[in-house]
Structure formats: structure tokens, C-alpha cells
Amino acid sequence: DNCNAIIKKDTNTLIAGCKNTIIPSSVTAIGDYAFTGCTGMTSITINENIKHIGTYTFAGSGLTSINVNEKNTVYDSRDNCNAIIEKDTNKLVTGCKNTIIPSSVTAIGDHAFSNCTGLINITLPENLTYIGNSAFARCTGLSNIVLPNNISFGGYTFADCTGLTSITFPENLDMGNNLFCGCTGLTSITIPDSVTSIGNGTFYGCSNLTNIVIPNNINIGNGAFSRCTGLTSLIIPENAYIGSGAFSDCTGLTNITIPNTITSIGGSAFSGCTGLTNITIPDSVTSIGGSAFEGCFNLTNIVIPSGVTCIENGTFEDCTKLTNIIIPNSVTRIGNFAFYECTGLTNITIPNNVTSIGSYAFSRCLKLTNITIPNSVVNMEWNVFSEWKSNQTINCEAAAKPDGWNKSWNYGCKAKINWNVK
């Protein structure tokens, strides 16, 4: 019918359209991405025979007017809402900048408003219980949002809404993963006390966030505040769980307070926090994850609590200004790359309970004039002291080499080795 579209014959599915498309009455479905990025298209009418509309179908289009034929049995545009709503689920599947969400809508589908840069304001009805993946992602004109009570989210729901400056959080919020990631307009957030979990990557890359209030007894997900480079000071809440990479690459952080109710710090939790010069870890902490402080190259001093049993892989890797560290007697294993390239380290004592030292654990620690390996060490992995120089000394209390001693452990190592030293 000279419709200015591509239609798959055997299924009557429109798979690609343009601003001049007129949907034939024979079309029964519109496929995923069919009109994505069609900025010249301002209006669409869904005919009575269309029974399926895919995801991301109209994302980034220039729609200002949406209408569904009243005879359509699957979809409607009730209350002249300028949206497409699935009748039997009351789910809004496609909206535009002029959409007014009816109170009867209980869900917003994946990508429903995605890339709708003209959207300035939206009121979410109280009956709404779910907002899907990337539903409002990259709606850069949206400046504030009031979230209704008892709502849950898919991933990336408001991702890259760079104009968003204000969020009203409800009680008992279920935060989805990457919910507000890339929202660079946010400067301050207060999360209600009733919230028990912040999802993975929720505020990832919110680079202008300078103030956060986090309630006690909360699970801070993996990468939740990663790359929030505007944060300068942080108070970890009581009884919080700190996930992997929770505050990684927060380069502006200069002060962190960890309460004595914290028992675990996740892997890479503070990696890349280059503004940190010192941090106090309370005695309550018994586990510090791998790479927890990797790349904190301005960190000069740290005390490891006495309950920690393992220096995990890469925990202090590339902490180039760390000069002195005391490993408590509780530690039994030093992991791979644990102190790799700690080029400023001048003093370290390996306690007598350590039985294993991982690959590259002390590689490139070029200011350590000497180190003593206690008799308790029975296994050493690859290249533990690689690239050590002739002015450095390794004292071994053992009379015999530990297992793995010959696994190229001394690649590029010119240090003097003393055996059976007491």
C-alpha cells in the first residue's frame, strides 16, 4: 500500500518505519526498534488489528501525539493520554513528551519513554507498582521525579537523565540496579530510613553528587556509588554491608569514617580512590575483599585489624605512597599482587602464622631494604619478589625452600637471599 515501511510478509509485522509511514490495516504487529530514533515522526495511530508492539519500538522518536483505534482489543489510549496501554495488564508500553499517565496504569514497560529528550515533567500515579528496564533512560529534559510508595524497578530505569536534580524517595523503596546511574545533575540525596538496600550501580557515575545521607542497616550494592567523583567525605552507616566496588573511583574522597559495627569490606570497595591519604579500619572488620584499596596511590598509612585472616588478591596493589604497614598475627595467607608495586613501602613484617604467599605479592616493592619470610611459610607462588634489586635482602627463616619456590619466583630478582636466618 505504498506505506513507507518494511513489512515481513508471513507475519504481517512492520519491522522498519519512518516519519512518513502510514501503517496498513493488514499489519498485526510492530517489531522491536521499528521506529527507534525517528525524530521526524510526531504522531502515530495504532490501528485496530495490531496485537503486538515490541520493545524500544518508538525510543528516541519525536512523538508528541499517540492514538490507538478504539476498536483495538489489546491496546488503548484511555483518557486521551497520548500513550499506548496494554488493556489486560494496565501497563503503559509507549509514551511521549505529552503523555499524562492515567491513574489506572499499574506498570510502565521497558523503554517506554527511553530517549524522550522532550519530556520535562511526568507525574507517576500512586497505583504504579513497577517501572521497567530503561523506562526513562536518557530523558535528559526531566528535572525532578516523585516516586510513589511500594514501587519496584527494572535496571537502568532513569539512567543518564542528566537534567535530573531532584528525587523524592518513598518509604520502603526497592532500588533496582543502575537505577540513577549517569545522572550527573544530582548533587544531594537523602535515602529514607526504611530503605534496606541500594542496588548495584544505583548511583554509578553521578559525578556531581557531593552529599549523601544513607540510613543504617543497609546493603550497599556492588558499584552503588562508583565514580561519584564529587564526593569528598563519607560516613558509612552503622551495620551496613559494603559491596564490591561500592565507592570505587571516587577520586574526590579524602575522608571516610567506618563505624565499628562493620564486619566486612567488599572487593574493590575503595579502589581508585586517589584522594585518600589515610583510613582507619575498625577492629570489627574481619574481612577485606580483594583489590579493596587498589590504586589508592596517595594512601600513606593503614592499620589492618587483628581479626583479618587473609590479605586478599590485590588488596593494596599500586598503593605507591604506602610506607609502613603492620600485618596482624591473625593473617595466614597473603594473596596474589597483595602489595604489588607498593614502591614507597619501606617496612613490613610477615607474621609467623602466614603459610602461603601469592604470585607477585611483593613484586616491585623497590624501597623495601629487607624482608623476612617466617618458617611458617610452606608455599610461595610465582614471582613473589620479581624485579627486586641487588641492594635488597630476603631473609628466609626456613632451612628448606617452600613449595613453589622455583616457580620462576625470582624473575628479574637480584636481591640477596639469606637462608636459615633466626
Side-chain angles (χ1 to χ4, degrees):
D1 305 326
N2 297 315
C3 61
N4 281 308
I6 302 171
I7 298 168
K8 192 174 181 182
K9 290 181 176 181
D10 60 347
T11 61
N12 288 314
T13 299
L14 191 153
I15 59 175
C18 69
K19 70 177 183 178
N20 293 324
T21 294
I22 298 173
I23 303 175
S25 60
S26 57
V27 167
T28 58
I30 303 176
D32 298 346
Y33 301 93
F35 291 93
T36 295
C38 190
T39 56
M41 184 174 65
T42 59
S43 64
I44 190 77
T45 297
I46 303 301
N47 68 48
E48 63 183 285
N49 295 319
I50 292 175
K51 309 302 179 187
H52 174 76
I53 297 173
T55 59
Y56 222 73
T57 305
F58 300 98
S61 67
L63 284 175
T64 59
S65 174
I66 299 174
N67 181 58
V68 178
N69 188 294
E70 62 183 14
K71 293 181 180 179
N72 193 299
T73 59
V74 176
Y75 302 105
D76 65 33
S77 289
R78 67 192 68 169
D79 304 329
N80 297 314
C81 62
N82 278 307
I84 303 171
I85 299 169
E86 199 173 60
K87 287 183 175 182
D88 62 347
T89 62
N90 289 315
K91 180 172 72 175
L92 189 153
V93 297
T94 297
C96 69
K97 71 175 186 178
N98 291 328
T99 294
I100 298 174
I101 304 175
S103 60
S104 55
V105 168
T106 58
I108 297 175
D110 296 347
H111 308 286
F113 293 88
S114 192
N115 287 351
C116 188
T117 55
L119 185 67
I120 306 299
N121 293 297
I122 195 77
T123 300
L124 302 177
E126 285 297 323
N127 292 327
L128 200 63
T129 59
Y130 178 75
I131 305 177
N133 298 320
S134 300
F136 293 92
R138 294 172 296 280
C139 289
T140 54
L142 196 62
S143 60
N144 65 83
I145 194 78
V146 177
L147 300 174
N149 294 321
N150 304 311
I151 193 165
S152 60
F153 301 92
Y156 298 90
T157 303
F158 296 96
D160 298 317
C161 288
T162 54
L164 195 62
T165 58
S166 174
I167 306 169
T168 302
F169 295 102
E171 298 293 326
N172 304 309
L173 179 65
D174 178 13
M175 287 194 183
N177 295 338
N178 301 97
L179 185 58
F180 297 102
C181 69
C183 291
T184 54
L186 287 176
T187 59
S188 178
I189 56 169
T190 300
I191 299 172
D193 290 342
S194 59
V195 175
T196 59
S197 178
I198 300 174
N200 299 338
T202 295
F203 297 98
Y204 176 93
C206 292
S207 55
N208 288 306
L209 197 59
T210 57
N211 181 52
I212 56 175
V213 178
I214 308 173
N216 296 330
N217 308 304
I218 198 166
N219 179 0
I220 302 173
N222 301 339
F225 294 94
S226 179
R227 299 198 175 184
C228 289
T229 53
L231 283 176
T232 58
S233 181
L234 175 66
I235 299 176
I236 302 293
E238 299 283 341
N239 300 306
Y241 170 80
I242 305 171
S244 298
F247 298 95
S248 63
D249 297 315
C250 289
T251 54
L253 270 179
T254 58
N255 182 47
I256 299 174
T257 302
I258 303 177
N260 58 14
T261 56
I262 302 297
T263 59
S264 175
I265 296 174
S268 301
F270 300 102
S271 65
C273 290
T274 55
L276 276 180
T277 57
N278 64 78
I279 187 169
T280 300
I281 303 175
D283 290 339
S284 57
V285 172
T286 57
S287 174
I288 302 174
S291 299
F293 298 96
E294 179 187 351
C296 294
F297 52 70
N298 283 309
L299 193 63
T300 58
N301 181 53
I302 196 163
V303 176
I304 302 171
S306 58
V308 172
T309 59
C310 176
I311 309 298
E312 298 286 357
N313 298 343
T315 299
F316 300 102
E317 181 179 344
D318 202 25
C319 289
T320 55
K321 290 186 179 178
L322 195 63
T323 57
N324 181 50
I325 195 161
I326 298 174
I327 302 176
N329 290 329
S330 55
V331 170
T332 60
R333 181 172 68 86
I334 298 173
N336 303 334
F337 294 88
F339 298 96
Y340 176 79
E341 210 162 8
C342 287
T343 53
L345 196 61
T346 58
N347 183 47
I348 194 165
T349 300
I350 301 174
N352 290 324
N353 291 322
V354 171
T355 60
S356 175
I357 301 176
S359 300
Y360 295 91
F362 297 99
S363 176
R364 304 194 69 180
C365 292
L366 302 182
K367 286 189 178 179
L368 270 178
T369 54
N370 65 80
I371 193 169
T372 299
I373 303 171
N375 193 39
S376 58
V377 175
V378 295
N379 184 65
M380 295 180 69
E381 297 296 334
W382 297 76
N383 299 322
V384 173
F385 301 104
S386 67
E387 300 188 49
W388 275 41
K389 307 302 181 184
S390 57
N391 62 339
Q392 296 177 278
T393 301
I394 302 169
N395 299 308
C396 303
E397 292 184 347
K401 295 177 180 179
D403 290 343
W405 185 269
N406 293 320
K407 290 182 180 179
S408 299
W409 72 275
N410 59 347
Y411 175 78
C413 179
K414 298 178 181 179
K416 179 182 179 182
I417 303 173
N418 297 320
W419 289 96
N420 201 21
V421 175
K422 298 296 182 184

